[in-house]
Amino acid sequence: METAVLQVFRYDPEKDQAPYYKEYEVPVEGTLLNALLYIKDNLDPTLAFRAFCRSEVCGSCSMKVNGKTKLACKTPMKELVETWKGKPLRIEPLNHMKVIKDLVVDIDKPIEKMKTLIPWLVPDPRVVPTDPMHESIIYPEEMEAYKDQIHCMLCFSCYSACEAVADNERYRGPFAFSKAYRFQVDRRDIETAKEKRIRYAISGGLWSCVQCQKCLYVCPKGVKPAEDIQNLRGQAVKKGFTDKPGAKKLKHFVDWIYATGQINRLYLPEEVYGNKEAREKLTKAYTEMGVEVWEVPKPTKGLMKFRDIYLEILSKEDKALDLDYSHVRKIDKMVSDIFKADICTIVDKAHEEGRSSRGLISKLKGLLGGQ
Amino acid sequence: MVKVGFYQGCCFQGQDAHMFETMKEMFKRIDVDVVLLEETTCCGGNTIDEENRKLSYAINARNIALAEKEGLDMLVSCNTCYMVIAKAKRALDTNKKLRDEINELLKEEGLEYKGTSKIYHLLDFFRDVVGYEKIKKAVKRPLKGWKVAAYYGCHVLYPKEIAVDNSDNPSSLQEILKALGAEVIDDYEGKDACCGYHSFYTDKSMTLKKLNRILGGVKKVGADIVATPCPLCFKSFDIYQTNMENPPRVPSSFLPEIMAYAFGIDKDKSGLSHHLIKVEKE
């Protein structure tokens, strides 16, 4: 029978001075949870870990394998051996939580953090009948908005893998934001509660998420916390919480992409942090390296039609921000000043001049007498 | 000669146009003709999703449709562009209603999203289309004695649906660096941490902490340079590093640059001499 070596984290704070690793040889069959149960039954009854349902429902058995978060009952041993090509498998408790014993961690902290985001329904009396004898109906199409989020089983895989939790103590955790978002899109929930959740989400680190997508990867239930966080950010901006750098960054993206088809890195520091020197510094650094600096992106070919698509969607859909037309006009003016042409005609003109963008600018400079 | 459509995003235009020229020249040496998809726009940077997710899907349906119009597969270098475009493709391929609705809008420009073009990132393109052997053969100046730390970045490994390698234990970047003759270091503190690029304009402190983790780890293992296939991770390492209180001054390279250098293209043309943190190694 094929076997593999598990190096299991062992620590009993009441007895051990420091954690240590103990090796166990286990059969390569079934899941990682089967292997741990094999150890417990045949090799070492003192090993502590949480597990219950064995079928990806209770969320108790998440842990780390060579640093990567896994739900033990969902992870085939064969897959682990193949992934790690015969290397020993180091089994450790989840990150960011105190170890109670061996692979068992204290989940109180993330639970407390989650509670700060009001992860429950605050009924709107205009929608939810106060008389308990009356049904409060939800239609299937309404449930579409939160059909994934309700599967969160609090396994804390995302909390363990989260890049924001690692570097921001206050950060509430991916699952907590998904739990909150679930009620933000529930018609029965009262508007004042939705407003509060946004405030608490912001103070709980909504803008600290780095969007690494690890939470999507590790979630055993297909919840997409990073995407829920994007949705919550959109809601925050829509509700008028526009003072945070992240909200200004969003505005930069919405306006510049509409106006030119591109963002403009030269103007990001100014528009987000009010830092005007950054543009000059960057320009200087690039010029010193002999790199031509473009104050505005070359307008994309087909820009006018691209704008139509953009507007068509924004006019029909729920969105965080309205286009700031005065900003767009300013950008248009910059573009037409640099290219000495109207924004509607410059696109074709720019593209007739040459394929390479560098070639283009030198040609244009030639045309304009080196301006 | 393999022909592929190149998606530039924001990293290969304007003042960064030279990066595309390096890329094109480097690809020539391994018999790949990269055709710039000029009419494409910014992918939305995973930020437009905060405004409206359908807008992000529509922008990228248009981007992909432009490659399809040319009858080409699409090659993306930036991890984030890759992730955003690959996610959009998945959404469009699995949701007919969404696809039809967006195609209705694309009609005006004479475009249609069909789902016929494959989306490649540099890493799987090198592995599956070019092949490591071909890269090895193109090397004129082996990176002998270069200790190179391999850094993948997040958006080529997560989420699983769009990953180009084994998300837990990837190997393509090490294989490419090995083919260049470098000594590859793939086990160091912070190798899995996020580069912090995307939080620079949402929570700057987060970026600086991430850089401290990764570049501190790279320094500790004594690597000469850290190489990444993602131009954003590279920008975070090279540009944002200078925002740190005590920058460890770890040099970095965007993967195509170090490949170009190994293929015999000089330091200036490969882009390696244009970094804020100088690449001293010869």
Side-chain angles (χ1 to χ4, degrees), chain A residues 147-160:
Chain A
K147 67 175 183 349
D148 293 330
Q149 291 82 348
I150 54 177
H151 291 296
C152 173
M153 55 189 181
L154 296 177
C155 69
F156 304 105
S157 293
C158 62
Y159 190 79
S160 174

Side-chain angles (χ1 to χ4, degrees), chain A residues 70 83 163 167 208 211 213-214 217 227 230-231 261 265 273 289 291 300 308 317-318 321, chain B residues 15 39 42 46 50-54 87 108 155 168-169 192 197 200 203 209-210 213 274:
Chain A
K70 298 282 162 194
T83 294
E163 287 284 327
D167 281 310
S208 293
Q211 285 292 319
Q213 313 286 313
K214 285 183 183 172
Y217 175 61
E227 294 186 2
Q230 291 178 319
N231 296 340
R265 276 215 195 78
Y273 290 121
M289 285 177 208
V291 176
T300 308
D308 286 348
E317 300 282 323
D318 190 31
L321 279 172
Chain B
Q15 50 269 27
E39 295 172 49
C42 170
N46 195 41
E50 293 167 10
E51 169 78 347
N52 178 276
R53 207 169 296 279
K54 200 182 280 176
K87 267 190 182 180
E108 197 196 335
H155 296 160
D168 288 335
N169 190 21
D192 294 327
Y197 180 85
F200 195 77
D203 180 352
K209 284 176 191 164
K210 296 296 171 203
R213 269 173 202 272
H274 297 301

Side-chain angles (χ1 to χ4, degrees), chain B residues 6 8 11-12 16 18-24 26-27 76-79 121-122 126 151 173 177 180 225-235 237-238 251-261 270-272 275 279:
Chain B
F6 186 75
Q8 58 177 346
C11 287
F12 299 89
D16 295 326
H18 62 281
M19 297 255 275
F20 175 69
E21 281 156 35
T22 301
M23 182 86 83
K24 199 169 168 65
M26 182 273 292
F27 268 110
V76 187
S77 161
C78 169
N79 286 17
H121 179 262
L122 284 181
F126 285 138
Y151 180 83
L173 180 54
L177 293 171
L180 303 179
I225 192 166
V226 52
T228 173
C230 175
L232 298 183
C233 298
F234 164 63
K235 277 177 198 293
F237 294 159
D238 192 49
S252 53
S253 171
F254 174 44
L255 180 66
E257 292 179 332
I258 203 173
M259 290 177 79
Y261 183 70
S270 72
L272 277 182
H275 297 186
V279 181

Side-chain angles (χ1 to χ4, degrees), chain B:
Chain B
M1 197 76 143
V2 181
K3 206 167 155 188
V4 71
F6 186 75
Y7 173 77
Q8 58 177 346
C10 61
C11 287
F12 299 89
Q13 49 95 33
Q15 50 269 27
D16 295 326
H18 62 281
M19 297 255 275
F20 175 69
E21 281 156 35
T22 301
M23 182 86 83
K24 199 169 168 65
E25 187 54 39
M26 182 273 292
F27 268 110
K28 227 188 256 168
R29 313 277 173 121
I30 43 176
D31 293 332
V32 180
D33 181 15
V34 286
V35 180
L36 187 64
L37 298 167
E38 280 191 87
E39 295 172 49
T40 52
T41 64
C42 170
C43 70
N46 195 41
T47 297
I48 285 300
D49 302 66
E50 293 167 10
E51 169 78 347
N52 178 276
R53 207 169 296 279
K54 200 182 280 176
L55 180 58
S56 174
Y57 291 153
I59 288 175
N60 291 304
R62 181 181 173 278
N63 285 333
I64 301 170
L66 286 162
E68 291 181 351
K69 196 178 83 178
E70 303 289 323
L72 297 171
D73 285 334
M74 183 191 259
L75 175 64
V76 187
S77 161
C78 169
N79 286 17
T80 300
C81 297
Y82 168 76
M83 189 250 322
V84 171
I85 295 174
K87 267 190 182 180
K89 180 170 172 60
R90 257 187 85 78
L92 293 159
D93 288 346
T94 54
N95 184 343
K96 190 174 180 301
K97 197 172 153 246
L98 176 76
R99 190 170 66 235
D100 290 347
E101 193 184 332
I102 288 175
N103 270 335
E104 197 54 41
L105 296 172
L106 295 182
K107 240 188 212 166
E108 197 196 335
E109 219 178 329
L111 292 171
E112 184 189 357
Y113 174 86
K114 298 193 190 86
T116 49
S117 286
K118 202 172 156 13
I119 314 295
Y120 285 104
H121 179 262
L122 284 181
L123 291 179
D124 55 338
F125 189 79
F126 285 138
R127 183 191 58 212
D128 302 338
V129 179
V130 177
Y132 302 137
E133 267 312 303
K134 189 148 211 172
I135 294 174
K136 208 170 170 181
K137 277 187 193 143
V139 173
K140 296 264 164 55
R141 181 165 37 208
L143 301 177
K144 237 182 159 180
W146 286 54
K147 284 188 191 167
V148 183
Y151 180 83
Y152 280 85
C154 300
H155 296 160
V156 280
L157 301 178
Y158 324 110
K160 195 183 180 73
E161 295 73 26
I162 56 103
V164 300
D165 204 330
N166 184 304
S167 308
D168 288 335
N169 190 21
S171 58
S172 49
L173 180 54
Q174 290 94 314
E175 292 299 327
I176 295 162
L177 293 171
K178 260 189 242 163
L180 303 179
E183 183 189 327
V184 185
I185 302 181
D186 62 1
D187 196 8
Y188 57 93
E189 250 178 271
K191 73 181 162 76
D192 294 327
C194 153
C195 75
Y197 180 85
H198 290 292
S199 59
F200 195 77
Y201 292 106
T202 58
D203 180 352
K204 200 191 257 184
S205 67
M206 197 61 85
T207 310
L208 303 181
K209 284 176 191 164
K210 296 296 171 203
L211 288 175
N212 203 33
R213 269 173 202 272
I214 301 164
L215 301 173
V218 170
K219 199 164 185 172
K220 216 160 130 191
V221 290
D224 298 308
I225 192 166
V226 52
T228 173
C230 175
L232 298 183
C233 298
F234 164 63
K235 277 177 198 293
S236 191
F237 294 159
D238 192 49
I239 300 173
Y240 295 164
Q241 182 178 182
T242 60
N243 284 264
M244 293 168 74
E245 211 167 300
N246 292 305
R249 301 203 65 79
V250 172
S252 53
S253 171
F254 174 44
L255 180 66
E257 292 179 332
I258 203 173
M259 290 177 79
Y261 183 70
F263 291 171
I265 298 166
D266 68 30
K267 247 187 173 172
D268 183 53
K269 280 211 180 106
S270 72
L272 277 182
S273 58
H274 297 301
H275 297 186
L276 293 183
I277 311 282
K278 290 274 168 287
V279 181
E280 307 283 0
K281 193 88 185 164
E282 295 286 341

Side-chain angles (χ1 to χ4, degrees), chain A residues 5 16 18 30 41 59 103 105-106 128 141 145-146 157 165 180 185 214 235 248 258 267 338 367 370:
Chain A
V5 174
D16 303 325
D41 290 343
L103 302 174
V105 292
D106 185 352
V128 181
E141 51 277 19
Y146 51 85
S157 293
V165 173
V185 286
K214 285 183 183 172
Q235 288 190 352
K248 294 176 189 163
Y258 171 78
Y267 279 83
I338 285 172
L367 281 175

Side-chain angles (χ1 to χ4, degrees), chain A residues 104-115:
Chain A
V104 179
V105 292
D106 185 352
I107 59 172
D108 283 357
K109 199 165 133 191
I111 293 276
E112 285 309 313
K113 281 182 171 182
M114 175 187 73
K115 284 185 190 163

